[in-house]
Amino acid sequence: MVESDEEQLEVLKNWWRENGQSIVIAIALGFLGIFGFQAWNEKVKNTAENASEIYQQILDLNVQDMKEKDEAIFDLGRKLKDDYGNSIYAVLASLVISKKYIESNDFESGIDQLRWALDQDHGDSLEDLIRVRLARVLASSNKSDEAFSILENHEPQAAHLSIFEETKGDMFFQVGNLASAREAYQKAIANKRDDQSLALLELKLADIPLQKNLTDRVDQVSSEAEGSD
């Protein structure tokens, strides 16, 4: 049965009364969502640009030869943490600042910077390098137990496995655990990448038996001396 124009119009009016408000709301929410996403995206972009600019200032200052550059770098680093602490640039800046503290023999401040960097969201690749650097500084500060835990409780990416094992080897050697140092250096050599020095690793490994032989010789001399008394 074909409806008249008047009947079709009345059907449309009834349908609009029942559904029109919902459609208007849905359209409005859609526009708000689009504009809201654009505003959020613009804010993220501006945040990244601002953080990047501050980090670049830190890098520029770091290569300059000026008396008070370190304090200026520290001030910019604090600003990055305060205003853009969730950005990767704040993490990268903390690595630069940590190095400056360590170079001035302020190991505790350097360690604090690295600990902060490790606690941030930075990606697996950067985390591996932060852990290696932190472990080395801790070991140099006679905090061997914490240094080992930083490395042993973490599974590095394959690309960084060699530097992890080399660092362990250095720390084992430092505390006199030559067997573990030898094993770590062997793993480092087995997992080395083209950009790593095989010759240096082999020298470190070769140095271990020399040290062991020297220890044995000292013990032998001591025993002979005691026997002659």
Side-chain angles (χ1 to χ4, degrees), residues 29-47:
L29 290 175
F31 278 114
L32 287 174
I34 292 172
F35 292 133
F37 174 78
Q38 290 176 340
W40 175 83
N41 194 45
E42 188 67 22
K43 180 180 179 181
V44 170
K45 179 182 177 182
N46 291 337
T47 296

Side-chain angles (χ1 to χ4, degrees), residues 8-145:
Q8 291 179 4
L9 181 60
E10 187 62 29
V11 169
L12 287 174
K13 287 180 179 179
N14 291 334
W15 181 89
W16 178 255
R17 280 194 295 269
E18 295 176 0
N19 302 286
Q21 185 177 6
S22 298
I23 292 175
V24 170
I25 292 174
I27 293 173
L29 290 175
F31 278 114
L32 287 174
I34 292 172
F35 292 133
F37 174 78
Q38 290 176 340
W40 175 83
N41 194 45
E42 188 67 22
K43 180 180 179 181
V44 170
K45 179 182 177 182
N46 291 337
T47 296
E49 289 177 350
N50 293 339
S52 174
E53 182 178 347
I54 295 174
Y55 177 62
Q56 187 59 52
Q57 291 177 31
I58 290 175
L59 295 182
D60 292 342
L61 281 170
N62 197 39
V63 298
Q64 293 181 17
D65 185 16
M66 52 184 289
K67 185 177 181 180
E68 298 179 351
K69 73 172 184 178
D70 286 359
E71 195 56 44
I73 288 175
F74 296 155
D75 287 342
L76 288 172
R78 284 189 286 269
K79 180 174 178 57
L80 261 179
K81 282 185 179 181
D82 292 342
D83 297 345
Y84 310 103
N86 293 327
S87 72
I88 188 63
Y89 298 105
V91 175
L92 294 174
S94 71
L95 300 184
V96 175
I97 294 170
S98 171
K99 187 172 185 293
K100 300 200 74 62
Y101 277 128
I102 293 166
E103 287 174 346
S104 63
N105 294 319
D106 187 352
F107 287 92
E108 285 304 318
S109 295
I111 288 171
D112 288 343
Q113 291 287 328
L114 290 172
R115 282 175 175 153
W116 182 88
L118 188 60
D119 289 339
Q120 307 311 304
D121 184 11
H122 34 51
D124 293 338
S125 182
L126 186 55
E127 178 177 352
D128 291 344
L129 300 180
I130 294 172
R131 284 182 179 273
V132 166
R133 186 176 298 185
L134 177 55
R136 288 189 177 278
V137 180
L138 287 168
S140 298
S141 302
N142 297 318
K143 298 180 180 180
S144 299
D145 290 343

Side-chain angles (χ1 to χ4, degrees), residues 151-167:
L151 299 184
E152 292 173 345
N153 296 333
H154 176 74
E155 186 67 32
Q157 292 186 316
H160 299 140
L161 183 56
S162 182
I163 188 63
F164 253 65
E165 292 299 331
E166 181 181 1
T167 303

